[in-house]
Amino acid sequence: MSSIARRIANLFRIKANKALDRAEDPREILDYSYEQQRELLQKVRRGVADVATSRKRLELQTRTLEQSGGKLQDQAQKALAIGREDLAREAVGRRAAVTAQITDLQGQHAALQAQEEKLTLASQRLETKVDAFRTHKETIKATYTAAEAQTRITEAVTGIGEEMGDVGMAIQRAQDKTEQLQARAGALDELIASGALEDATLPAGRDDIQAELDRATAGGDVELELARMKQQLAPAPAAPALEDGRPAEAGADKEGSS
């Protein structure tokens, strides 16, 4: 059973591959791949922008803490000037905490700046590759279109294309049918001539015996007609012979006068 199932699966896979080959257009696939790369490039650019935004936010926070540290420094000095060492100590303590926060933010800022530079370089490289792919894609599409047109022209000229093949088959079928009808007409004529079939245009009641008699007597009627015509064209009786070099009628006249 497993062997049969595997063969059925292979059969469906083969059919699916053939269907995909017929429906697949390389130009559409190239356009789809280009759009995918463009989307990836947009994601990288948005990542660079997000990192730059975070870096700027850290810079603002650091600047605010630096201002706070300077203010605490001034407060500590003023407190010492008026003899309030306790206040000066508190201000110095807070300033130390602010300084620690600034140091931490500077570390985060350096990390974000390094990540931003790395993403910016990756974005530039990816953009270069996408532009190169776009140029290559258009070249391939133009070449494919030209090859497709050349193939269709060649198929049309040689008659192996589907459309021209259909036309050729239609012509062949028409020729075959014409020859078949001609052969049938010839066969029917032979059958009628031999008496196997009757001519429907002849008068009703005419049988095959009468037809044979008509054919047999047709030639005799012609002969009789020819004989009658010859008899009508028979030559006139010959003139009487000459006597003493004169016509017989003249001699008769002479005897009558004597």
Side-chain angles (χ1 to χ4, degrees), residues 126-248:
L126 181 59
E127 185 176 3
T128 302
K129 289 184 178 179
V130 171
D131 290 340
F133 179 80
R134 180 178 59 82
T135 303
H136 194 197
K137 171 180 73 72
E138 295 299 329
T139 303
I140 293 176
K141 287 174 61 178
T143 304
Y144 181 84
T145 302
E148 186 179 44
Q150 182 63 36
T151 301
R152 289 182 177 177
I153 292 173
T154 304
E155 289 179 349
V157 172
T158 57
I160 61 176
E162 294 182 357
E163 296 179 356
M164 295 304 295
D166 293 340
V167 172
M169 292 179 63
I171 294 175
Q172 185 63 40
R173 286 196 298 270
Q175 291 178 347
D176 293 343
K177 193 167 185 178
T178 301
E179 293 176 355
Q180 183 178 0
L181 290 175
Q182 290 176 345
R184 183 176 181 82
L188 291 175
D189 290 341
E190 291 180 357
L191 292 174
I192 292 174
S194 65
L197 292 178
E198 293 184 358
D199 189 351
T201 62
L202 294 177
R206 183 182 176 88
D207 55 14
D208 53 346
I209 297 175
Q210 185 61 41
E212 186 65 24
L213 290 174
D214 292 342
R215 282 194 298 272
T217 58
D221 294 340
V222 172
E223 295 298 332
L224 290 174
E225 182 64 18
L226 288 175
R228 187 183 62 80
M229 294 174 66
K230 289 179 180 179
Q231 188 176 6
Q232 292 177 353
L233 294 176
L242 296 178
E243 296 181 0
D244 298 335
R246 292 177 296 179

Side-chain angles (χ1 to χ4, degrees), residues 9-30:
N10 292 332
L11 180 61
F12 278 106
R13 192 176 298 110
I14 292 171
K15 296 293 185 183
N17 289 333
K18 287 185 177 180
L20 288 175
D21 288 339
R22 287 194 296 269
E24 190 177 72
D25 189 342
R27 292 166 295 190
E28 295 178 352
I29 295 176
L30 289 173

Side-chain angles (χ1 to χ4, degrees), residues 2-123:
S2 60
S3 176
I4 296 176
R6 185 169 56 255
R7 292 176 61 183
I8 293 175
N10 292 332
L11 180 61
F12 278 106
R13 192 176 298 110
I14 292 171
K15 296 293 185 183
N17 289 333
K18 287 185 177 180
L20 288 175
D21 288 339
R22 287 194 296 269
E24 190 177 72
D25 189 342
R27 292 166 295 190
E28 295 178 352
I29 295 176
L30 289 173
D31 289 337
Y32 179 75
S33 299
Y34 176 69
E35 292 300 325
Q36 292 292 318
Q37 295 183 28
R38 292 285 302 174
E39 291 180 2
L40 178 60
L41 179 61
Q42 290 297 327
K43 289 181 180 178
V44 173
R45 286 175 175 173
R46 284 195 292 270
V48 174
D50 292 341
V51 172
T53 301
S54 298
R55 177 178 56 79
K56 292 297 294 183
R57 188 181 299 111
L58 288 179
E59 291 176 355
L60 293 175
Q61 291 177 358
T62 301
R63 190 176 301 114
T64 301
L65 289 174
E66 288 175 349
Q67 292 174 356
S68 179
K71 183 179 179 180
L72 290 171
Q73 180 68 24
D74 293 340
Q75 289 176 348
Q77 291 176 353
K78 289 178 180 178
L80 287 176
I82 62 175
R84 292 292 305 270
E85 184 177 351
D86 56 335
L87 291 178
R89 189 181 302 278
E90 180 65 22
V92 170
R94 293 182 181 180
R95 181 176 179 278
V98 169
T99 301
Q101 292 181 9
I102 292 173
T103 301
D104 183 59
L105 290 179
Q106 288 176 344
Q108 295 181 24
H109 180 272
L112 286 178
Q113 191 170 14
Q115 185 178 4
E116 181 182 350
E117 292 175 355
K118 185 178 180 180
L119 288 175
T120 301
L121 181 60
S123 175

